[in-house]
Amino acid sequence: MRTAFPIIALLFALPTAAGAQSAPTAQPSTRPIQIGTSYTMSSPTLGDTREVNIWLPNGYDRSTDTYPVLYLLDGALDQDFHHIAGLGSLASLSWTYGPFIVVGVQTRDRAAELTPRPTDPRYRAAFPNSGGADRFRRFLHQEVIPFVEARYRTSSKRALMGESLAGLFVVDTLLEEPKLFDDYIAISPSLWWDDRRPLRRPAPTGLAQTRLFLAIADEGGTMQDGVDRLRRSLGQLPAGRITVKYVDYSSTATHSTVYHRAAEEALRWLYPAPPYKSAPTPWYMIEGAAPPSKR
């Protein structure tokens, strides 16, 4: 019994784990990450409010330059704004393409807002709320574009980007109102719409020095056929009306994976930077080389 007292006394003398960790620790400072400005627009055309998100290139606030504008469909914060703005940021960091302003425009019911009115009764029955492309285009033309151009230093160059149903809207805008934008980016556009009827008419004559980036993944079927019809139709136009860059990702991408890589290639094509003047190769990248001697 006498040996227990010294052991117990020793245990009470040892610091407990809780006591050893009770000293306050410094907390890391925090600040929110901001990549742009988000507006909520009340639209008379749509009878609704819409989120419009703006990303500005690095150095915008320190310059007096004007910038081309990329209007991004499905451009809400929970849609495609972040990853396309990230490509804009990559342009600012790499100096290999850009700069440009990104304007992300929210869509709510894509099948209703981004589709032209179908004529095929099968499509009218399957998509009873479809056919709102003209109204959404008026929203862009009469409300979003003036809103952006009144608040930011924009050049006269505008581009429109979209994928899937938004890509269909891009092509429909090219065919219906080609002068609204200078450049068009349609990635895996849903040109199966309305049994491809819009693609059976002649190509528009109002094109002038327009550029179209067109990409397709592995969708095949009527979607691939729609893209092929569009290419043939535009290929019949006189030289100088439109320049088409077509990229076939059918062996490397699916409908779910094509967007980001195709968007980067499109932006590099539309907004190329001057050739980068690289310095001589440093010694440590040459096999067996040594640092230059200091004299």
Side-chain angles (χ1 to χ4, degrees):
M1 293 293 293
R2 279 184 283 180
T3 58
F5 288 102
I7 294 174
I8 293 173
L10 179 61
L11 290 174
F12 277 108
L14 292 174
T16 64
Q21 297 177 4
S22 62
T25 57
Q27 295 298 314
S29 61
T30 63
R31 61 183 176 88
I33 297 174
Q34 296 181 347
I35 68 166
T37 303
S38 186
Y39 298 91
T40 299
M41 292 183 61
S42 180
S43 169
T45 302
L46 300 179
D48 194 6
T49 59
R50 290 305 163 97
E51 182 183 311
V52 175
N53 301 304
I54 313 290
W55 178 87
L56 300 175
N58 291 352
Y60 177 92
D61 58 339
R62 301 187 300 275
S63 79
T64 57
D65 296 339
T66 59
Y67 298 87
V69 182
L70 173 67
Y71 288 88
L72 171 67
L73 301 164
D74 301 326
L77 296 178
D78 61 353
Q79 294 178 312
D80 291 313
F81 177 74
H82 285 290
H83 81 96
I84 300 301
L87 291 175
S89 180
L90 177 62
S92 293
L93 293 171
S94 68
W95 307 307
T96 56
Y97 67 104
F100 48 86
I101 296 170
V102 178
V103 177
V105 183
Q106 180 187 31
T107 53
R108 293 196 191 277
D109 186 342
R110 300 173 74 246
E113 296 169 352
L114 298 176
T115 55
R117 189 173 301 281
T119 58
D120 190 313
R122 297 173 300 164
Y123 287 79
R124 291 201 300 268
F127 304 94
N129 295 323
S130 64
D134 285 341
R135 184 169 68 166
F136 200 83
R137 196 157 31 245
R138 288 198 305 274
F139 167 59
L140 292 177
H141 190 181
Q142 299 174 8
E143 298 180 41
V144 177
I145 291 173
F147 178 87
V148 171
E149 293 183 350
R151 287 163 175 78
Y152 296 95
R153 297 194 310 276
T154 64
S155 73
S156 61
K157 294 295 184 181
R158 304 177 194 144
L160 181 66
M161 174 188 278
E163 186 258 354
S164 193
L165 282 175
L168 169 67
F169 182 91
V170 170
V171 173
D172 185 59
T173 302
L174 173 69
L175 299 178
E176 293 294 332
E177 201 169 345
K179 294 183 180 179
L180 184 54
F181 297 92
D182 304 279
D183 302 315
Y184 294 83
I185 304 170
I187 299 171
S188 282
S190 298
L191 297 183
W192 49 263
W193 179 255
D194 200 20
D195 200 18
R196 294 148 287 160
R197 276 177 171 75
L199 304 173
R200 298 176 187 179
R201 63 192 178 197
T205 58
L207 298 170
Q209 297 182 328
T210 303
R211 295 181 294 180
L212 168 66
F213 181 94
L214 182 64
I216 192 72
D218 67 348
E219 295 89 356
T222 56
M223 194 154 168
Q224 179 70 60
D225 182 69
V227 168
D228 294 340
R229 287 171 183 261
L230 177 64
R231 293 176 63 206
R232 287 195 296 269
S233 177
L234 296 177
Q236 297 172 3
L237 291 172
R241 294 284 180 87
I242 187 168
T243 301
V244 179
K245 181 177 176 65
Y246 174 65
V247 184
D248 184 349
Y249 294 99
S250 60
S251 63
T252 60
T254 69
H255 194 70
S256 299
T257 64
V258 69
Y259 196 2
H260 197 79
R261 69 179 77 177
E264 181 179 353
E265 186 162 351
L267 295 173
R268 288 185 180 278
W269 178 60
L270 291 176
Y271 306 116
Y276 180 70
K277 295 181 180 180
S278 59
T281 304
W283 67 270
Y284 45 79
M285 294 184 65
I286 302 173
E287 183 70 32
S293 59
K294 297 181 179 179
R295 297 182 181 178

